[in-house]
Amino acid sequence: MGDFAFGGPRGGIIQTAFVVEDIHQAMASWVSDCRVGPWFLLEHWTGDHPVYRGAPSTAGVAIAMAFAGHMQIELIQPTDDNPSVYRETIETRGYGFHHLGRATVTIDADIAELEARGYSLAFRAGVPTGGDVAYLDHPGYSGFLELITATDAMEQVFTRFWRASVGWDGSEPVRSFL
């Protein structure tokens, strides 16, 4: 099982994510300070059948993704005050690092294995590329570990984002996610 077409390792860390106060300002900073882009923005996301800490969730976020080399960077801005893994992080640690994302083809088995090692499932929701994402936390970890179902559609979308970053000339720094 080789790397994904975007260069990330199958079964390994493919994403680093941050909660931000203003997603547009954060994207602009990443572009100007780090030359990371273009950004693919999804103005509103709640997930399909989202569950936060065992209860249905109604929290919404704006999400932006870009690549720095083969690592996907994700920026997340809560768009309401509803309870969520994002609000929880802001309230306990402030804005900044939120999670590392790991690709998986066996999300249920991986959740069970991580729970057996002391992790707790904090959030799970369906995503547009098929499958689910699941955020797990651990008392000894300063963020969440996100499991991202590795579907063909996920690989196609992430590869499209990565290809746009290769040799990017700074034009169109913010683009539509879809």
Short mmCIF file of all heavy atoms in Angstrom, two decimals, residues 113-155:
data_model
loop_
_atom_site.label_atom_id
_atom_site.label_comp_id
_atom_site.label_asym_id
_atom_site.label_seq_id
_atom_site.Cartn_x
_atom_site.Cartn_y
_atom_site.Cartn_z
N GLU A 113 -9.60 0.25 18.62
CA GLU A 113 -8.21 0.05 19.04
C GLU A 113 -7.71 1.24 19.85
O GLU A 113 -7.06 1.07 20.89
CB GLU A 113 -7.32 -0.18 17.80
CG GLU A 113 -5.88 -0.54 18.11
CD GLU A 113 -4.95 0.65 18.05
OE1 GLU A 113 -5.20 1.58 17.26
OE2 GLU A 113 -3.97 0.66 18.82
N LEU A 114 -8.04 2.46 19.42
CA LEU A 114 -7.61 3.65 20.15
C LEU A 114 -8.33 3.77 21.49
O LEU A 114 -7.71 4.14 22.50
CB LEU A 114 -7.82 4.91 19.30
CG LEU A 114 -6.85 5.04 18.12
CD1 LEU A 114 -7.34 6.09 17.13
CD2 LEU A 114 -5.44 5.36 18.61
N GLU A 115 -9.62 3.43 21.53
CA GLU A 115 -10.33 3.45 22.81
C GLU A 115 -9.73 2.45 23.78
O GLU A 115 -9.62 2.73 24.99
CB GLU A 115 -11.82 3.18 22.58
CG GLU A 115 -12.55 4.36 21.96
CD GLU A 115 -14.01 4.10 21.69
OE1 GLU A 115 -14.40 2.95 21.41
OE2 GLU A 115 -14.78 5.08 21.74
N ALA A 116 -9.29 1.31 23.29
CA ALA A 116 -8.64 0.31 24.15
C ALA A 116 -7.32 0.84 24.72
O ALA A 116 -6.86 0.37 25.76
CB ALA A 116 -8.41 -0.99 23.37
N ARG A 117 -6.75 1.83 24.05
CA ARG A 117 -5.49 2.44 24.50
C ARG A 117 -5.72 3.72 25.30
O ARG A 117 -4.77 4.47 25.55
CB ARG A 117 -4.60 2.72 23.30
CG ARG A 117 -4.12 1.43 22.66
CD ARG A 117 -3.20 1.60 21.46
NE ARG A 117 -2.44 2.82 21.41
CZ ARG A 117 -2.17 3.48 20.28
NH1 ARG A 117 -2.60 3.02 19.12
NH2 ARG A 117 -1.47 4.58 20.30
N GLY A 118 -6.97 4.00 25.68
CA GLY A 118 -7.25 5.14 26.53
C GLY A 118 -7.79 6.38 25.85
O GLY A 118 -8.02 7.40 26.50
N TYR A 119 -7.98 6.34 24.55
CA TYR A 119 -8.58 7.47 23.83
C TYR A 119 -10.08 7.46 24.04
O TYR A 119 -10.68 6.41 24.30
CB TYR A 119 -8.30 7.38 22.33
CG TYR A 119 -6.91 7.77 21.92
CD1 TYR A 119 -5.84 6.90 22.07
CD2 TYR A 119 -6.66 9.02 21.34
CE1 TYR A 119 -4.56 7.24 21.68
CE2 TYR A 119 -5.38 9.38 20.94
CZ TYR A 119 -4.33 8.49 21.11
OH TYR A 119 -3.07 8.83 20.72
N SER A 120 -10.72 8.63 23.89
CA SER A 120 -12.17 8.76 23.97
C SER A 120 -12.69 9.37 22.68
O SER A 120 -12.11 10.35 22.19
CB SER A 120 -12.57 9.69 25.12
OG SER A 120 -12.12 9.18 26.34
N LEU A 121 -13.78 8.82 22.17
CA LEU A 121 -14.40 9.37 20.97
C LEU A 121 -15.11 10.66 21.36
O LEU A 121 -16.01 10.65 22.19
CB LEU A 121 -15.38 8.38 20.35
CG LEU A 121 -16.08 8.83 19.07
CD1 LEU A 121 -15.09 9.08 17.95
CD2 LEU A 121 -17.10 7.78 18.64
N ALA A 122 -14.72 11.77 20.74
CA ALA A 122 -15.29 13.07 21.06
C ALA A 122 -16.29 13.54 20.00
O ALA A 122 -17.26 14.22 20.33
CB ALA A 122 -14.18 14.11 21.20
N PHE A 123 -16.07 13.17 18.74
CA PHE A 123 -16.92 13.65 17.66
C PHE A 123 -16.81 12.70 16.49
O PHE A 123 -15.73 12.18 16.20
CB PHE A 123 -16.47 15.05 17.22
CG PHE A 123 -17.22 15.62 16.05
CD1 PHE A 123 -18.53 16.05 16.19
CD2 PHE A 123 -16.63 15.73 14.81
CE1 PHE A 123 -19.24 16.59 15.11
CE2 PHE A 123 -17.32 16.27 13.72
CZ PHE A 123 -18.63 16.70 13.87
N ARG A 124 -17.95 12.50 15.81
CA ARG A 124 -17.96 11.69 14.60
C ARG A 124 -19.05 12.24 13.68
O ARG A 124 -20.13 12.60 14.14
CB ARG A 124 -18.23 10.23 14.91
CG ARG A 124 -18.12 9.33 13.67
CD ARG A 124 -18.12 7.88 14.05
NE ARG A 124 -18.02 7.04 12.85
CZ ARG A 124 -17.80 5.75 12.87
NH1 ARG A 124 -17.66 5.12 14.02
NH2 ARG A 124 -17.73 5.07 11.75
N ALA A 125 -18.73 12.30 12.38
CA ALA A 125 -19.71 12.78 11.40
C ALA A 125 -19.35 12.25 10.02
O ALA A 125 -18.18 11.97 9.73
CB ALA A 125 -19.72 14.31 11.37
N GLY A 126 -20.37 12.13 9.18
CA GLY A 126 -20.16 11.77 7.79
C GLY A 126 -19.63 12.97 7.01
O GLY A 126 -19.90 14.12 7.36
N VAL A 127 -18.85 12.68 5.98
CA VAL A 127 -18.26 13.73 5.15
C VAL A 127 -18.66 13.56 3.68
O VAL A 127 -19.03 12.46 3.26
CB VAL A 127 -16.72 13.76 5.29
CG1 VAL A 127 -16.32 14.16 6.70
CG2 VAL A 127 -16.12 12.41 4.95
N PRO A 128 -18.58 14.65 2.89
CA PRO A 128 -19.01 14.60 1.50
C PRO A 128 -18.25 13.61 0.62
O PRO A 128 -18.77 13.17 -0.40
CB PRO A 128 -18.79 16.03 0.99
CG PRO A 128 -18.72 16.88 2.20
CD PRO A 128 -18.19 16.00 3.29
N THR A 129 -17.04 13.25 1.00
CA THR A 129 -16.24 12.33 0.19
C THR A 129 -16.49 10.87 0.55
O THR A 129 -15.79 9.98 0.09
CB THR A 129 -14.74 12.64 0.31
OG1 THR A 129 -14.37 12.62 1.70
CG2 THR A 129 -14.40 14.00 -0.29
N GLY A 130 -17.50 10.62 1.38
CA GLY A 130 -17.84 9.26 1.79
C GLY A 130 -17.15 8.90 3.08
O GLY A 130 -16.09 9.41 3.41
N GLY A 131 -17.77 8.02 3.82
CA GLY A 131 -17.20 7.62 5.10
C GLY A 131 -17.38 8.70 6.14
O GLY A 131 -18.21 9.60 6.00
N ASP A 132 -16.61 8.60 7.19
CA ASP A 132 -16.72 9.50 8.34
C ASP A 132 -15.37 10.10 8.69
O ASP A 132 -14.32 9.61 8.26
CB ASP A 132 -17.18 8.72 9.57
CG ASP A 132 -18.63 8.30 9.53
OD1 ASP A 132 -19.34 8.66 8.57
OD2 ASP A 132 -19.06 7.60 10.47
N VAL A 133 -15.44 11.11 9.54
CA VAL A 133 -14.29 11.56 10.30
C VAL A 133 -14.63 11.32 11.77
O VAL A 133 -15.80 11.39 12.16
CB VAL A 133 -13.93 13.05 10.06
CG1 VAL A 133 -13.47 13.25 8.63
CG2 VAL A 133 -15.08 13.96 10.40
N ALA A 134 -13.63 11.02 12.56
CA ALA A 134 -13.82 10.81 13.99
C ALA A 134 -12.67 11.47 14.73
O ALA A 134 -11.50 11.29 14.36
CB ALA A 134 -13.86 9.32 14.31
N TYR A 135 -13.01 12.26 15.73
CA TYR A 135 -12.01 12.92 16.56
C TYR A 135 -11.94 12.18 17.88
O TYR A 135 -12.96 11.97 18.53
CB TYR A 135 -12.39 14.37 16.85
CG TYR A 135 -12.33 15.30 15.68
CD1 TYR A 135 -13.37 15.36 14.75
CD2 TYR A 135 -11.24 16.15 15.50
CE1 TYR A 135 -13.33 16.25 13.69
CE2 TYR A 135 -11.20 17.04 14.43
CZ TYR A 135 -12.24 17.09 13.53
OH TYR A 135 -12.19 17.96 12.48
N LEU A 136 -10.73 11.83 18.28
CA LEU A 136 -10.51 11.17 19.56
C LEU A 136 -9.52 11.98 20.37
O LEU A 136 -8.59 12.58 19.81
CB LEU A 136 -9.98 9.75 19.35
CG LEU A 136 -10.98 8.81 18.66
CD1 LEU A 136 -10.65 8.67 17.20
CD2 LEU A 136 -11.03 7.48 19.35
N ASP A 137 -9.75 12.00 21.68
CA ASP A 137 -8.78 12.68 22.54
C ASP A 137 -8.21 11.72 23.56
O ASP A 137 -8.73 10.63 23.77
CB ASP A 137 -9.36 13.94 23.18
CG ASP A 137 -10.58 13.71 24.06
OD1 ASP A 137 -11.01 12.56 24.25
OD2 ASP A 137 -11.11 14.70 24.58
N HIS A 138 -7.10 12.13 24.14
CA HIS A 138 -6.36 11.30 25.09
C HIS A 138 -5.80 12.25 26.15
O HIS A 138 -5.33 13.34 25.80
CB HIS A 138 -5.22 10.57 24.37
CG HIS A 138 -4.56 9.54 25.20
ND1 HIS A 138 -3.59 9.84 26.13
CD2 HIS A 138 -4.71 8.20 25.25
CE1 HIS A 138 -3.18 8.74 26.72
NE2 HIS A 138 -3.84 7.73 26.21
N PRO A 139 -5.84 11.86 27.41
CA PRO A 139 -5.35 12.76 28.47
C PRO A 139 -3.91 13.23 28.27
O PRO A 139 -3.57 14.33 28.66
CB PRO A 139 -5.48 11.93 29.75
CG PRO A 139 -6.40 10.82 29.43
CD PRO A 139 -6.34 10.60 27.95
N GLY A 140 -3.08 12.44 27.64
CA GLY A 140 -1.68 12.82 27.46
C GLY A 140 -1.37 13.52 26.15
O GLY A 140 -0.20 13.74 25.83
N TYR A 141 -2.39 13.91 25.40
CA TYR A 141 -2.20 14.48 24.07
C TYR A 141 -2.78 15.89 24.06
O TYR A 141 -3.89 16.11 24.53
CB TYR A 141 -2.91 13.57 23.06
CG TYR A 141 -2.74 13.93 21.60
CD1 TYR A 141 -1.49 14.02 21.02
CD2 TYR A 141 -3.85 14.16 20.81
CE1 TYR A 141 -1.35 14.34 19.68
CE2 TYR A 141 -3.73 14.47 19.46
CZ TYR A 141 -2.47 14.56 18.92
OH TYR A 141 -2.34 14.88 17.59
N SER A 142 -2.07 16.85 23.50
CA SER A 142 -2.52 18.25 23.55
C SER A 142 -3.37 18.64 22.35
O SER A 142 -3.34 19.77 21.90
CB SER A 142 -1.31 19.18 23.65
OG SER A 142 -0.53 19.06 22.48
N GLY A 143 -4.12 17.73 21.84
CA GLY A 143 -5.03 17.99 20.72
C GLY A 143 -5.79 16.71 20.45
O GLY A 143 -5.68 15.74 21.18
N PHE A 144 -6.54 16.73 19.38
CA PHE A 144 -7.28 15.54 18.97
C PHE A 144 -6.50 14.77 17.91
O PHE A 144 -5.66 15.33 17.21
CB PHE A 144 -8.64 15.95 18.38
CG PHE A 144 -9.59 16.52 19.39
CD1 PHE A 144 -9.66 17.89 19.58
CD2 PHE A 144 -10.40 15.70 20.15
CE1 PHE A 144 -10.54 18.44 20.50
CE2 PHE A 144 -11.28 16.24 21.08
CZ PHE A 144 -11.35 17.61 21.25
N LEU A 145 -6.83 13.51 17.79
CA LEU A 145 -6.39 12.69 16.66
C LEU A 145 -7.65 12.47 15.83
O LEU A 145 -8.65 11.95 16.33
CB LEU A 145 -5.82 11.36 17.13
CG LEU A 145 -5.42 10.38 16.01
CD1 LEU A 145 -4.34 10.99 15.11
CD2 LEU A 145 -4.94 9.07 16.60
N GLU A 146 -7.61 12.90 14.58
CA GLU A 146 -8.75 12.72 13.68
C GLU A 146 -8.48 11.53 12.78
O GLU A 146 -7.42 11.44 12.15
CB GLU A 146 -8.97 13.95 12.82
CG GLU A 146 -10.14 13.79 11.85
CD GLU A 146 -10.27 14.92 10.84
OE1 GLU A 146 -9.27 15.59 10.55
OE2 GLU A 146 -11.38 15.12 10.35
N LEU A 147 -9.44 10.64 12.71
CA LEU A 147 -9.40 9.55 11.74
C LEU A 147 -10.24 10.00 10.55
O LEU A 147 -11.37 10.45 10.72
CB LEU A 147 -9.97 8.27 12.33
CG LEU A 147 -9.22 7.72 13.55
CD1 LEU A 147 -9.95 6.51 14.11
CD2 LEU A 147 -7.78 7.37 13.20
N ILE A 148 -9.67 9.90 9.35
CA ILE A 148 -10.32 10.33 8.12
C ILE A 148 -10.48 9.11 7.23
O ILE A 148 -9.48 8.49 6.85
CB ILE A 148 -9.48 11.39 7.39
CG1 ILE A 148 -9.17 12.57 8.31
CG2 ILE A 148 -10.16 11.83 6.09
CD1 ILE A 148 -8.05 13.48 7.79
N THR A 149 -11.72 8.76 6.91
CA THR A 149 -11.93 7.61 6.05
C THR A 149 -11.31 7.86 4.68
O THR A 149 -11.63 8.84 4.01
CB THR A 149 -13.43 7.29 5.90
OG1 THR A 149 -14.00 7.10 7.19
CG2 THR A 149 -13.64 6.03 5.08
N ALA A 150 -10.42 6.97 4.29
CA ALA A 150 -9.71 7.09 3.01
C ALA A 150 -10.54 6.43 1.91
O ALA A 150 -10.50 5.22 1.73
CB ALA A 150 -8.33 6.44 3.11
N THR A 151 -11.32 7.23 1.22
CA THR A 151 -12.12 6.76 0.10
C THR A 151 -11.48 7.23 -1.21
O THR A 151 -10.62 8.13 -1.20
CB THR A 151 -13.55 7.30 0.16
OG1 THR A 151 -13.50 8.74 0.03
CG2 THR A 151 -14.24 6.92 1.46
N ASP A 152 -11.89 6.67 -2.31
CA ASP A 152 -11.41 7.15 -3.61
C ASP A 152 -11.74 8.63 -3.79
O ASP A 152 -10.93 9.40 -4.29
CB ASP A 152 -12.00 6.33 -4.76
CG ASP A 152 -11.44 4.92 -4.83
OD1 ASP A 152 -10.37 4.66 -4.25
OD2 ASP A 152 -12.09 4.06 -5.48
N ALA A 153 -12.95 9.02 -3.38
CA ALA A 153 -13.36 10.42 -3.52
C ALA A 153 -12.49 11.34 -2.66
O ALA A 153 -12.12 12.44 -3.08
CB ALA A 153 -14.83 10.59 -3.16
N MET A 154 -12.15 10.91 -1.42
CA MET A 154 -11.26 11.70 -0.57
C MET A 154 -9.92 11.90 -1.26
O MET A 154 -9.40 13.01 -1.33
CB MET A 154 -11.07 11.03 0.79
CG MET A 154 -10.12 11.78 1.74
SD MET A 154 -8.33 11.50 1.51
CE MET A 154 -8.15 9.87 2.18
N GLU A 155 -9.38 10.82 -1.81
CA GLU A 155 -8.08 10.93 -2.48
C GLU A 155 -8.17 11.86 -3.68
O GLU A 155 -7.27 12.67 -3.91
CB GLU A 155 -7.56 9.56 -2.89
CG GLU A 155 -6.17 9.65 -3.51
CD GLU A 155 -5.52 8.30 -3.76
OE1 GLU A 155 -6.19 7.26 -3.60
OE2 GLU A 155 -4.34 8.31 -4.13
#
